Amino acid sequence: MIQPALVRFHDVRSADGTMLRAWGNGGTGPAVLISNGLGTNPYAWPALLQPDNGLQVLGWNHRGIGGSERPDTGRVDMDAHLEDMTAVLDAAGVESAVVVGWSIGVNVAFEFAVRHPDRVAGILAVCGVPGATFSTMLEPWKIPPVVAQNLMVGLARISTVTGHGLAPVTSRIPWTRFSVNLLKMARVFAPSADDTVLQAVVQEFFTAHPAWYAQLALEAARHDRVSLSQITAPTTLVAGTKDLLAGAGAMRSAAERIPRARYRVVEGTHFLPIERPDVVLEELEWLLERVS
């Protein structure tokens, strides 16, 4: 059984002065920067954050999440995320890294690769597409992209209001093995997800304020598709067969538009980093071989 990630936290100041809660595994080896799913936390990467895996893994919590400051200006647009990535790399003295993106973090990873190609040695995209993310949601249900976009954006707008009332409830949910197994029974997570890891991930996720999370999502929805013809770094995309938030078909289409990209689809939901950490680590190791 893989244990929950062993995380070392530290503070990093971004370009606009926002203090970020950055993290890593304290390891040595090839640099790997995790561009996480929106509002998620390092515990979702149990295999990558083991200290003896031969990797120097870095990441950060999004603005207003998990100890990172909520900026006075409210800046949580794509430019802010890119500035935060740059600050994390600079603070670690890393010139170039393989970027591992998950969910909306894939948007950020590809945008960073377009604007700063010299700092991206490779891209591993897990359950995410390079831009226009909301239009690819609900793909397994055969929902047309325009409808999916409007539906998910509308839900996020509603949550910026209703989230204030939900916060006192969500922050007090007792996440035990019993409650996380209810999520498995509801098919939110696949049965393969380790209970201990899942408990750590979900418990930390629900410390985030729902209204602020919705604001992050609305800003992310404004990010359009990345020009994939500009991607020159070795790239791998890994999709889940039952992913409702980043359809496998949309990910396959993206892979076909990136020169020499590798595409793999595996059994699982949107939460492959938790459900299939073995696959994530395996694909990362193969990508690192291509990079070297």
Side-chain angles (χ1 to χ4, degrees):
M1 181 184 72
I2 293 179
Q3 297 299 316
L6 306 174
V7 189
R8 301 185 182 189
F9 293 95
H10 60 283
D11 289 335
V12 170
R13 192 172 296 279
S14 194
D16 65 355
T18 302
M19 189 65 75
L20 307 171
R21 180 62 51 85
W23 40 264
N25 68 339
T28 58
V32 175
L33 177 65
I34 296 178
S35 177
N36 224 343
L38 194 65
T40 53
N41 52 76
Y43 304 107
W45 305 91
L48 271 57
L49 280 168
Q50 299 303 315
D52 57 352
N53 61 9
L55 302 171
Q56 180 189 4
V57 179
L58 308 167
W60 78 102
N61 291 340
H62 294 116
R63 295 172 172 224
I65 301 290
S68 289
E69 285 183 348
R70 188 182 299 189
D72 293 337
T73 60
R75 283 189 68 226
V76 288
D77 57 6
M78 179 57 69
D79 287 345
H81 294 315
L82 300 183
E83 290 170 11
D84 296 348
M85 289 183 75
T86 301
V88 172
L89 288 175
D90 289 347
V94 173
E95 289 297 324
S96 177
V98 167
V99 181
V100 178
W102 174 30
S103 191
I104 287 177
V106 171
N107 295 24
V108 183
F110 275 94
E111 189 68 41
F112 192 75
V114 168
R115 299 198 200 182
H116 306 285
D118 56 318
R119 306 208 70 170
V120 178
I123 302 172
L124 174 57
V126 182
C127 296
V129 291
T133 297
F134 280 41
S135 66
T136 69
M137 293 180 178
L138 309 179
E139 180 185 287
W141 291 352
K142 311 295 185 184
I143 303 295
V146 173
V147 176
Q149 171 84 15
N150 290 333
L151 180 63
M152 299 307 289
V153 168
L155 180 61
R157 287 194 177 118
I158 292 170
S159 297
T160 60
V161 178
T162 61
H164 293 286
L166 290 172
V169 177
T170 57
S171 63
R172 290 180 172 83
I173 297 175
W175 290 107
T176 63
R177 290 198 175 207
F178 173 76
S179 52
V180 297
N181 271 291
L182 290 178
L183 294 178
K184 288 185 180 182
M185 293 172 62
R187 305 298 178 93
V188 177
F189 299 97
S192 59
D194 182 272
D195 287 352
T196 304
V197 173
L198 186 55
Q199 185 177 341
V201 171
V202 176
Q203 184 170 303
E204 177 67 19
F205 176 80
F206 277 94
T207 63
H209 196 290
W212 179 251
Y213 180 88
Q215 185 61 41
L216 289 170
L218 280 176
E219 286 294 337
R222 295 188 174 96
H223 182 238
D224 206 353
R225 296 186 186 276
V226 174
S227 176
L228 298 181
S229 63
Q230 299 182 55
I231 301 298
T232 58
T235 301
T236 298
L237 297 94
V238 182
T241 56
K242 300 175 182 177
D243 190 345
L244 289 176
L245 300 181
M251 291 191 66
R252 181 186 297 109
S253 176
E256 291 170 349
R257 290 179 282 126
I258 302 171
R260 299 175 300 281
R262 170 177 167 81
Y263 172 76
R264 180 177 178 182
V265 59
V266 297
E267 187 74 16
T269 73
H270 189 65
F271 301 94
L272 288 185
I274 305 165
E275 298 166 356
R276 299 297 303 275
D278 56 328
V279 169
V280 172
L281 183 58
E282 180 180 65
E283 289 296 337
L284 177 58
E285 289 172 342
W286 286 349
L287 181 60
L288 287 167
E289 287 184 12
R290 290 178 61 193
V291 168
S292 62

